Amino acid sequence: MPVLGVVTAAAAGLVVLLLLAVPTAVARLFPFFWVDLAAFGALARSSVRCRRRLNRQPAVTLLDVFQGHARRRPRWPLLRFQDEVYTYEDMDRRSNRAARVFSRRLGLQPGRTVAVFLPNDPSYVWTWLALAKLGCPMACLNCNVRGRALQHALAAAGASLLLASPELQAAVEEVLPALQRDGTRVFYLSSGSPTPGIEALLPAIEVAPDEPPPARHRAGVTAKSKAMYIYTSGTTGLPKAAVVTEMKLMMVANLARLCGLRPDDVIYTTLPLYHSAGLLVGVGGCFEVGATCVLRAKFSASQFWDDCRRYNVSVIQYVGELMRYLCNTPKRADDREHGVRLALGNGLREKVWREFLQRFGPVSIWEFYGATEGNAGFINYTGKIGAVGRANMFLKRFAPFELIKYNVEEDEPVRDERGLCIRVRPGETGLLVIKITQNTPFDGYAGDSQKTEKKVLRDVLVKGDTFFNSGDLLMIDHERFVYFQDRVGDTFRWKGENVATTEVEATLATVNFIQEVNVYGVAVPGCEGRCGMAAIRLKPGASFEGESLYAFTGDTLPSYAAPRFVRIQDALEITGTFKQCKGNLVKEGFDPNIIKDPLFLRDDKKKSYVPLNPDTYAAILDMKLNL
Ligand SMILES: *[C@@H]1O[C@H](CO)[C@@H](O)[C@H](O)[C@H]1NC(C)=O
Ligand SMILES: *[C@@H]1O[C@H](CO)[C@@H](O)[C@H](O)[C@H]1NC(C)=O
């Protein structure tokens, strides 16, 4: 049947042609189709891997993955700290001994939460493993928290046992009587104790037998079990204990793998371990792939690259501020002599991103966006500088998110006449909300249903739906690239305009006499919104030049965004992750009667920033002086 043969051949030809043509046509029409699909594929594989492990009976948790590496490559270094090296086997055994002491000596029962109050050092890692082996969640207290906030943090996680370091002796002793009254037991994980009434556990741990604790301790652990509590530092108020389930723990540890972390990598972590970036992405990433972590007690800009060379570091972890500090160090001839190929982190601004690459060479930067308690995030997988990721149409099916209109002044989403939220158009800034589904659950905050409820937004697109409120303002451009704009709290309104503090900061940071700057809004009687104020630290040896700052801000910033007040500080207060603290500054405002730092006022008549004295201050309060 020749005719049919010809037809078949023609059809086959057409199919081949189509198959060849379709990818190029798709690529032309949707330039990011294939990268989007590939990224989705990688994420889906990762998600399936986590689900499969945790749905087994008994569940295979991150601890089991770590133990697999410890069996296969016992002598491989897991952790380097100063001159110490801990192999996978060392850590496995050490955590067995610690588990033995926690369980036999302290009578720790499976499922009981234990709080750790430790700086970055190896004990953090073996304590984590030991508690996991006993089926006990670990509450990771922020080392900067003190007093009432510390007590609150312990209570929120329901922890009745506190393991601390004598490095934090003063903070521990401050709350000790209150903790003892509540029945919370406190121990140091060190060899000696400087505090009467607190026992040091290390001597007992060192002589304990190192066989693994019986498996029954964690027989009840499932995907939904609470593995950890990680505290998120709200800009105001008390710390919130975000629940990290076993599933979340594994998904976040897999983030490092998604970004390309390999078993032969050495990852350098200077971020505090009480946050998810350092602990879950860094150390957890090593547990997941079997890599090595170099831990440092505190970030040091001057030691950073020397450490990278000394330990053969191939991957670094950052937050945006850390990269800025690195770019601010004096240039050196060996700036590009290092083996770092990958940087993982978040909060990197476009300008610093470019500067970093230019100065330190071709490092592949994986910028991601996500909150510890959040139910989804973004990763930059396309190499677009400045973007945190893409609004990938495939991912959107998996984790439906929206950017909605937000009223900055009222601090709440704008709603239409039906009471539903309104999507923003491409190029417009909106509040990121992520639908709460089975794939993207929101585990909430421990011991605080009110705060949990506050992060849940209802009736977003249809009546009855629920979304996680990220509290972040983002923008999606016409090519679907996603850009982080601001924390909701980092924007204030002045003269009817939104002022993004981070933008003003980025501009002021380029002034030749300014070393560091923190911008915020202060309330002024008789004025709507908040008035811009900048706390600055001067470069060593430099002096404040009011006229030149006036001229510069006039040229580079919209008039509403130029700070009305300037406060000169010797040091700017920062959090453990190098975020600037605004809370106290906002509270202190611009009152020269209480603030001892030099204060300046933007004076449009003199075209300068002039000293703010109590008389001028009184005139502002009496509304005799127009801002
Ligand atoms: C770093 O690599 C060099 C060369 O491969 C090696 O000699 C050195 O021992 C390594 N250092 C560490 C800390 O692994
Ligand atoms: C993200 O963008 C940077 C800048 O171009 C690039 O170096 C890096 O490789 C990108 N990340 C990924 C995962 O492609």
Side-chain angles (χ1 to χ4, degrees), residues 503-522:
E503 262 168 46
V504 181
E505 280 163 9
T507 307
L508 293 184
T510 62
V511 174
N512 58 13
F513 57 81
I514 294 180
Q515 177 81 39
E516 268 183 290
V517 54
N518 187 357
V519 172
Y520 48 97
V522 293

PDB file of all heavy atoms in Angstrom, residues 503-522:
ATOM      1  N   GLU A 503      16.122  51.441  50.569  1.00  0.00           N
ATOM      2  CA  GLU A 503      16.566  52.225  49.414  1.00  0.00           C
ATOM      3  C   GLU A 503      17.314  53.476  49.863  1.00  0.00           C
ATOM      4  O   GLU A 503      18.342  53.840  49.300  1.00  0.00           O
ATOM      5  CB  GLU A 503      15.365  52.664  48.586  1.00  0.00           C
ATOM      6  CG  GLU A 503      15.112  51.769  47.404  1.00  0.00           C
ATOM      7  CD  GLU A 503      13.770  52.060  46.785  1.00  0.00           C
ATOM      8  OE1 GLU A 503      13.458  53.253  46.593  1.00  0.00           O
ATOM      9  OE2 GLU A 503      13.037  51.091  46.514  1.00  0.00           O
ATOM     10  N   VAL A 504      16.760  54.145  50.871  1.00  0.00           N
ATOM     11  CA  VAL A 504      17.423  55.353  51.363  1.00  0.00           C
ATOM     12  C   VAL A 504      18.781  54.978  51.951  1.00  0.00           C
ATOM     13  O   VAL A 504      19.788  55.659  51.743  1.00  0.00           O
ATOM     14  CB  VAL A 504      16.539  56.060  52.417  1.00  0.00           C
ATOM     15  CG1 VAL A 504      17.211  57.334  52.907  1.00  0.00           C
ATOM     16  CG2 VAL A 504      15.179  56.383  51.843  1.00  0.00           C
ATOM     17  N   GLU A 505      18.819  53.851  52.649  1.00  0.00           N
ATOM     18  CA  GLU A 505      20.086  53.387  53.218  1.00  0.00           C
ATOM     19  C   GLU A 505      21.123  53.146  52.134  1.00  0.00           C
ATOM     20  O   GLU A 505      22.284  53.541  52.257  1.00  0.00           O
ATOM     21  CB  GLU A 505      19.867  52.087  54.008  1.00  0.00           C
ATOM     22  CG  GLU A 505      19.306  52.318  55.393  1.00  0.00           C
ATOM     23  CD  GLU A 505      18.710  51.069  56.031  1.00  0.00           C
ATOM     24  OE1 GLU A 505      18.870  49.966  55.475  1.00  0.00           O
ATOM     25  OE2 GLU A 505      18.088  51.212  57.087  1.00  0.00           O
ATOM     26  N   ALA A 506      20.680  52.479  51.059  1.00  0.00           N
ATOM     27  CA  ALA A 506      21.623  52.167  49.981  1.00  0.00           C
ATOM     28  C   ALA A 506      22.188  53.455  49.384  1.00  0.00           C
ATOM     29  O   ALA A 506      23.374  53.528  49.043  1.00  0.00           O
ATOM     30  CB  ALA A 506      20.923  51.333  48.908  1.00  0.00           C
ATOM     31  N   THR A 507      21.354  54.495  49.282  1.00  0.00           N
ATOM     32  CA  THR A 507      21.821  55.765  48.720  1.00  0.00           C
ATOM     33  C   THR A 507      22.793  56.455  49.683  1.00  0.00           C
ATOM     34  O   THR A 507      23.874  56.881  49.277  1.00  0.00           O
ATOM     35  CB  THR A 507      20.621  56.696  48.452  1.00  0.00           C
ATOM     36  OG1 THR A 507      19.689  55.971  47.671  1.00  0.00           O
ATOM     37  CG2 THR A 507      21.049  57.951  47.729  1.00  0.00           C
ATOM     38  N   LEU A 508      22.406  56.529  50.947  1.00  0.00           N
ATOM     39  CA  LEU A 508      23.250  57.231  51.913  1.00  0.00           C
ATOM     40  C   LEU A 508      24.587  56.510  52.125  1.00  0.00           C
ATOM     41  O   LEU A 508      25.593  57.137  52.450  1.00  0.00           O
ATOM     42  CB  LEU A 508      22.526  57.375  53.255  1.00  0.00           C
ATOM     43  CG  LEU A 508      21.292  58.281  53.261  1.00  0.00           C
ATOM     44  CD1 LEU A 508      20.742  58.418  54.674  1.00  0.00           C
ATOM     45  CD2 LEU A 508      21.605  59.653  52.697  1.00  0.00           C
ATOM     46  N   ALA A 509      24.575  55.198  51.928  1.00  0.00           N
ATOM     47  CA  ALA A 509      25.801  54.424  52.153  1.00  0.00           C
ATOM     48  C   ALA A 509      26.910  54.845  51.196  1.00  0.00           C
ATOM     49  O   ALA A 509      28.076  54.557  51.434  1.00  0.00           O
ATOM     50  CB  ALA A 509      25.517  52.937  52.007  1.00  0.00           C
ATOM     51  N   THR A 510      26.549  55.530  50.105  1.00  0.00           N
ATOM     52  CA  THR A 510      27.581  55.921  49.139  1.00  0.00           C
ATOM     53  C   THR A 510      28.212  57.277  49.481  1.00  0.00           C
ATOM     54  O   THR A 510      29.131  57.710  48.801  1.00  0.00           O
ATOM     55  CB  THR A 510      26.983  56.008  47.718  1.00  0.00           C
ATOM     56  OG1 THR A 510      25.966  57.026  47.723  1.00  0.00           O
ATOM     57  CG2 THR A 510      26.368  54.698  47.283  1.00  0.00           C
ATOM     58  N   VAL A 511      27.719  57.941  50.511  1.00  0.00           N
ATOM     59  CA  VAL A 511      28.289  59.241  50.898  1.00  0.00           C
ATOM     60  C   VAL A 511      29.682  59.022  51.496  1.00  0.00           C
ATOM     61  O   VAL A 511      29.881  58.099  52.286  1.00  0.00           O
ATOM     62  CB  VAL A 511      27.373  59.928  51.941  1.00  0.00           C
ATOM     63  CG1 VAL A 511      28.004  61.212  52.463  1.00  0.00           C
ATOM     64  CG2 VAL A 511      26.014  60.212  51.325  1.00  0.00           C
ATOM     65  N   ASN A 512      30.647  59.896  51.107  1.00  0.00           N
ATOM     66  CA  ASN A 512      32.050  59.570  51.427  1.00  0.00           C
ATOM     67  C   ASN A 512      32.367  59.555  52.921  1.00  0.00           C
ATOM     68  O   ASN A 512      33.283  58.885  53.344  1.00  0.00           O
ATOM     69  CB  ASN A 512      33.010  60.483  50.659  1.00  0.00           C
ATOM     70  CG  ASN A 512      32.739  61.944  50.972  1.00  0.00           C
ATOM     71  OD1 ASN A 512      32.016  62.261  51.928  1.00  0.00           O
ATOM     72  ND2 ASN A 512      33.297  62.842  50.190  1.00  0.00           N
ATOM     73  N   PHE A 513      31.610  60.287  53.755  1.00  0.00           N
ATOM     74  CA  PHE A 513      31.976  60.257  55.175  1.00  0.00           C
ATOM     75  C   PHE A 513      31.131  59.280  55.990  1.00  0.00           C
ATOM     76  O   PHE A 513      31.297  59.170  57.198  1.00  0.00           O
ATOM     77  CB  PHE A 513      31.917  61.663  55.794  1.00  0.00           C
ATOM     78  CG  PHE A 513      30.579  62.352  55.670  1.00  0.00           C
ATOM     79  CD1 PHE A 513      29.549  62.069  56.547  1.00  0.00           C
ATOM     80  CD2 PHE A 513      30.355  63.271  54.662  1.00  0.00           C
ATOM     81  CE1 PHE A 513      28.331  62.690  56.436  1.00  0.00           C
ATOM     82  CE2 PHE A 513      29.126  63.903  54.538  1.00  0.00           C
ATOM     83  CZ  PHE A 513      28.109  63.616  55.421  1.00  0.00           C
ATOM     84  N   ILE A 514      30.204  58.571  55.327  1.00  0.00           N
ATOM     85  CA  ILE A 514      29.335  57.641  56.067  1.00  0.00           C
ATOM     86  C   ILE A 514      29.856  56.216  55.970  1.00  0.00           C
ATOM     87  O   ILE A 514      30.057  55.681  54.883  1.00  0.00           O
ATOM     88  CB  ILE A 514      27.889  57.716  55.542  1.00  0.00           C
ATOM     89  CG1 ILE A 514      27.301  59.093  55.861  1.00  0.00           C
ATOM     90  CG2 ILE A 514      27.033  56.612  56.165  1.00  0.00           C
ATOM     91  CD1 ILE A 514      25.882  59.284  55.391  1.00  0.00           C
ATOM     92  N   GLN A 515      30.054  55.605  57.132  1.00  0.00           N
ATOM     93  CA  GLN A 515      30.500  54.216  57.172  1.00  0.00           C
ATOM     94  C   GLN A 515      29.305  53.274  57.148  1.00  0.00           C
ATOM     95  O   GLN A 515      29.271  52.332  56.373  1.00  0.00           O
ATOM     96  CB  GLN A 515      31.306  53.989  58.461  1.00  0.00           C
ATOM     97  CG  GLN A 515      31.788  52.576  58.683  1.00  0.00           C
ATOM     98  CD  GLN A 515      33.047  52.295  57.883  1.00  0.00           C
ATOM     99  OE1 GLN A 515      33.915  53.138  57.764  1.00  0.00           O
ATOM    100  NE2 GLN A 515      33.129  51.109  57.306  1.00  0.00           N
ATOM    101  N   GLU A 516      28.316  53.565  57.987  1.00  0.00           N
ATOM    102  CA  GLU A 516      27.144  52.702  58.091  1.00  0.00           C
ATOM    103  C   GLU A 516      25.932  53.567  58.335  1.00  0.00           C
ATOM    104  O   GLU A 516      26.049  54.624  58.960  1.00  0.00           O
ATOM    105  CB  GLU A 516      27.273  51.796  59.311  1.00  0.00           C
ATOM    106  CG  GLU A 516      27.898  50.471  59.055  1.00  0.00           C
ATOM    107  CD  GLU A 516      27.891  49.655  60.332  1.00  0.00           C
ATOM    108  OE1 GLU A 516      28.644  49.996  61.258  1.00  0.00           O
ATOM    109  OE2 GLU A 516      27.105  48.714  60.405  1.00  0.00           O
ATOM    110  N   VAL A 517      24.784  53.098  57.911  1.00  0.00           N
ATOM    111  CA  VAL A 517      23.595  53.920  58.079  1.00  0.00           C
ATOM    112  C   VAL A 517      22.372  53.049  58.323  1.00  0.00           C
ATOM    113  O   VAL A 517      22.270  51.939  57.804  1.00  0.00           O
ATOM    114  CB  VAL A 517      23.401  54.839  56.840  1.00  0.00           C
ATOM    115  CG1 VAL A 517      23.388  54.025  55.564  1.00  0.00           C
ATOM    116  CG2 VAL A 517      22.127  55.656  56.948  1.00  0.00           C
ATOM    117  N   ASN A 518      21.476  53.541  59.154  1.00  0.00           N
ATOM    118  CA  ASN A 518      20.239  52.835  59.474  1.00  0.00           C
ATOM    119  C   ASN A 518      19.103  53.860  59.377  1.00  0.00           C
ATOM    120  O   ASN A 518      19.122  54.866  60.071  1.00  0.00           O
ATOM    121  CB  ASN A 518      20.366  52.287  60.904  1.00  0.00           C
ATOM    122  CG  ASN A 518      19.213  51.395  61.294  1.00  0.00           C
ATOM    123  OD1 ASN A 518      18.271  51.212  60.532  1.00  0.00           O
ATOM    124  ND2 ASN A 518      19.292  50.830  62.488  1.00  0.00           N
ATOM    125  N   VAL A 519      18.150  53.604  58.496  1.00  0.00           N
ATOM    126  CA  VAL A 519      17.087  54.580  58.260  1.00  0.00           C
ATOM    127  C   VAL A 519      15.763  54.057  58.805  1.00  0.00           C
ATOM    128  O   VAL A 519      15.466  52.866  58.672  1.00  0.00           O
ATOM    129  CB  VAL A 519      16.973  54.893  56.756  1.00  0.00           C
ATOM    130  CG1 VAL A 519      15.747  55.743  56.459  1.00  0.00           C
ATOM    131  CG2 VAL A 519      18.219  55.603  56.273  1.00  0.00           C
ATOM    132  N   TYR A 520      14.988  54.927  59.429  1.00  0.00           N
ATOM    133  CA  TYR A 520      13.716  54.520  60.020  1.00  0.00           C
ATOM    134  C   TYR A 520      12.806  55.725  60.072  1.00  0.00           C
ATOM    135  O   TYR A 520      13.225  56.851  59.761  1.00  0.00           O
ATOM    136  CB  TYR A 520      13.958  53.941  61.426  1.00  0.00           C
ATOM    137  CG  TYR A 520      14.841  54.800  62.306  1.00  0.00           C
ATOM    138  CD1 TYR A 520      14.276  55.686  63.223  1.00  0.00           C
ATOM    139  CD2 TYR A 520      16.227  54.759  62.205  1.00  0.00           C
ATOM    140  CE1 TYR A 520      15.076  56.493  64.016  1.00  0.00           C
ATOM    141  CE2 TYR A 520      17.033  55.566  62.993  1.00  0.00           C
ATOM    142  CZ  TYR A 520      16.462  56.427  63.893  1.00  0.00           C
ATOM    143  OH  TYR A 520      17.241  57.229  64.679  1.00  0.00           O
ATOM    144  N   GLY A 521      11.553  55.494  60.459  1.00  0.00           N
ATOM    145  CA  GLY A 521      10.611  56.598  60.522  1.00  0.00           C
ATOM    146  C   GLY A 521      10.207  56.890  61.953  1.00  0.00           C
ATOM    147  O   GLY A 521       9.982  55.969  62.738  1.00  0.00           O
ATOM    148  N   VAL A 522      10.143  58.157  62.309  1.00  0.00           N
ATOM    149  CA  VAL A 522       9.740  58.519  63.673  1.00  0.00           C
ATOM    150  C   VAL A 522       8.435  59.314  63.625  1.00  0.00           C
ATOM    151  O   VAL A 522       8.166  60.034  62.663  1.00  0.00           O
ATOM    152  CB  VAL A 522      10.835  59.346  64.395  1.00  0.00           C
ATOM    153  CG1 VAL A 522      12.059  58.495  64.645  1.00  0.00           C
ATOM    154  CG2 VAL A 522      11.203  60.586  63.602  1.00  0.00           C
TER     155      VAL A 522
END
